[in-house]
């Protein structure tokens, strides 16, 4: 297990892992696009595959970006994810959202 800032990876870690499994921030509202930055980092680390959760509502965008990157992307499962309220501004006790579980294969595999 690697615990560090995924957006500041040292070059020495590139292609050091066969498989990366991650649950990145979803990249909505105040951190738009952060999920794709995490995915890019995961692809830099992996030689074989990255498995990652992303909101189903972003599927079209993710598939387009991966195509542009030359990355093979496949939705391997459609899931529901319950997110509990964690901040004062959250109005509901929890929110159930649809998520896709992807397998990504790096372009330079």
């Amino acid at each position: 297990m690697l615990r560090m800032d995924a957006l500041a990876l040292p070059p020495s870690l590139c292609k050091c892992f066969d498989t990366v499994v991650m649950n990145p921030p979803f990249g909505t509202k105040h951190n738009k696009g952060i999920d794709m930055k995490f995915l890019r980092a995961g692809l830099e680390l992996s030689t074989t595959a990255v498995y990652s959760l992303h909101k189903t509502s972003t599927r079209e965008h993710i598939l387009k970006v991966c195509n542009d990157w030359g990355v093979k992307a496949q939705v391997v499962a459609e899931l529901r994810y319950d997110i509990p309220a964690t901040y004062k501004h959250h109005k509901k006790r929890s929110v159930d959202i649809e998520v896709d579980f992807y397998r990504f294969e790096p372009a330079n595999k």
Side-chain angles (χ1 to χ4, degrees):
M1 177 181 276
L2 181 64
R3 293 187 66 150
M4 63 186 315
D5 183 350
L7 303 181
L9 298 172
S12 61
L13 287 178
C14 289
K15 303 301 178 197
C16 284
F17 302 94
D18 294 328
T19 303
V20 172
V21 179
M22 63 183 189
N23 179 16
F26 286 135
T28 57
K29 296 190 182 183
H30 304 296
N31 59 359
K32 187 174 181 178
I34 193 80
D35 57 333
M36 298 309 287
K37 290 178 183 177
F38 271 73
L39 176 57
R40 176 70 90 180
L43 291 165
E44 290 294 321
L45 292 170
S46 175
T47 59
T48 305
V50 175
Y51 292 89
S52 184
L53 293 167
H54 297 268
K55 287 177 72 172
T56 299
S57 63
T58 64
R59 183 184 296 171
E60 187 177 315
H61 171 71
I62 290 171
L63 294 175
K64 181 194 177 311
V65 170
C66 286
N67 186 58
D68 291 348
W69 290 350
V71 172
K72 182 179 176 185
Q74 177 186 8
V75 176
V76 294
E78 296 178 10
L79 310 164
R80 296 194 73 79
Y81 196 74
D82 185 53
I83 300 179
T86 52
Y87 298 103
K88 288 182 179 181
H89 68 271
H90 289 164
K91 294 176 175 74
K92 299 178 182 177
R93 294 184 86 205
S94 68
V95 177
D96 190 50
I97 61 170
E98 295 177 342
V99 297
D100 290 339
F101 186 58
Y102 283 88
R103 175 186 167 91
F104 299 98
E105 293 182 19
N108 55 353
K109 197 178 137 180

